[in-house]
Amino acid sequence: MSKKAIICGVGPGNGMAIARAFAKGGYDLALLARNKQKLEGYAEDDGLKDVTVKAVAADFSDMESTDQGVRQAIAELGGVDVLLYNASLYVAKSWRELTGPDLMNEVTVGAGSAVAAMRAAGETMAENGGGTIIATGGGSALDPTVVTEAPGLAVTKGAMRNAVLALAPQYAQDNIYLATVTIMGTVQPGTFYDPANIADAIFEVAHASENERYTEVLYASEQDKQEFLNRNA
């Protein structure tokens, strides 16, 4: 029987690259995003043709919609082995433009709904003996000064990272591996941060042996690692 992966936050970049990586690994998939018509188009991608693909609408700015979407995906797939949470917003705003509600909407998409999705999938995983949950993080969680033009993203990625680090020991009690892959650079095709490269790294994290499992995995080029160390020396 094929393993099953749910991907929250599917678009043409990282989301679809993650879908292709897990399809290549033999996983049946559920793709979640707000626009079901776009998802149905993504489901026709050549890289997904050999596996079952379900398109499920979910609005990650609404935690209840996120919960319902993940539960629907589990029902349509017949279970879940891996949940990938990839939803976030990049909103460039000055301090004069950024309001409290604006910030909280970003935090809901990138952190609140991540927790909702983790919980919904985690319940099924715990009942079935375990599973894996991975959230894509960002370098701004470690150094907010890299995105001063989009302060909400730094707040959101920091919140998501802290949620994963705080919750991971609890999930581990139910044999669920919870981790975040922190991407330390700008996603761009043809570079170290090509979505396909990131997706392959996430797939490897999802299949790490127990003694190689880390709650946070940094995905960074040597240059970016060194620049980060220099900034924070």
Side-chain angles (χ1 to χ4, degrees), residues 13 15 29 35 45-46 52 66 72-73 90 136 147 151 176 179-180 211 224:
L29 304 172
N35 189 320
D45 186 273
D46 284 346
T52 297
T66 300
Q72 180 182 338
Y90 177 92
T136 54
V147 288
I176 299 169
T180 178
N211 62 350
D224 288 331

Side-chain angles (χ1 to χ4, degrees), residues 165-188:
L165 296 181
L167 288 168
Q170 295 185 33
Y171 276 85
Q173 293 173 12
D174 288 295
N175 196 33
I176 299 169
Y177 173 36
L178 174 61
T180 178
V181 175
T182 300
I183 302 166
M184 301 290 288
T186 302
V187 177
Q188 186 175 346

Side-chain angles (χ1 to χ4, degrees), residues 70-180:
V70 171
R71 294 180 191 278
Q72 180 182 338
I74 292 170
E76 292 194 18
L77 282 178
V80 57
D81 298 288
V82 180
L83 174 83
L84 295 307
Y85 194 85
N86 182 60
S88 65
L89 296 175
Y90 177 92
V91 184
K93 284 195 174 184
S94 72
W95 70 266
R96 296 181 186 277
E97 299 170 313
L98 183 66
T99 66
D102 290 337
L103 177 62
M104 294 313 297
N105 183 61
E106 290 186 57
V107 172
T108 294
V109 172
S113 279
V115 171
M118 291 170 189
R119 182 173 180 271
E123 289 179 358
T124 295
M125 291 176 179
E127 291 173 359
N128 294 323
T132 297
I133 299 173
I134 298 175
T136 54
S140 61
L142 302 176
D143 183 359
T145 65
V146 300
V147 288
T148 54
E149 76 286 357
L153 181 63
V155 174
T156 296
K157 289 301 185 183
M160 189 277 290
R161 175 178 183 266
N162 285 341
V164 169
L165 296 181
L167 288 168
Q170 295 185 33
Y171 276 85
Q173 293 173 12
D174 288 295
N175 196 33
I176 299 169
Y177 173 36
L178 174 61
T180 178

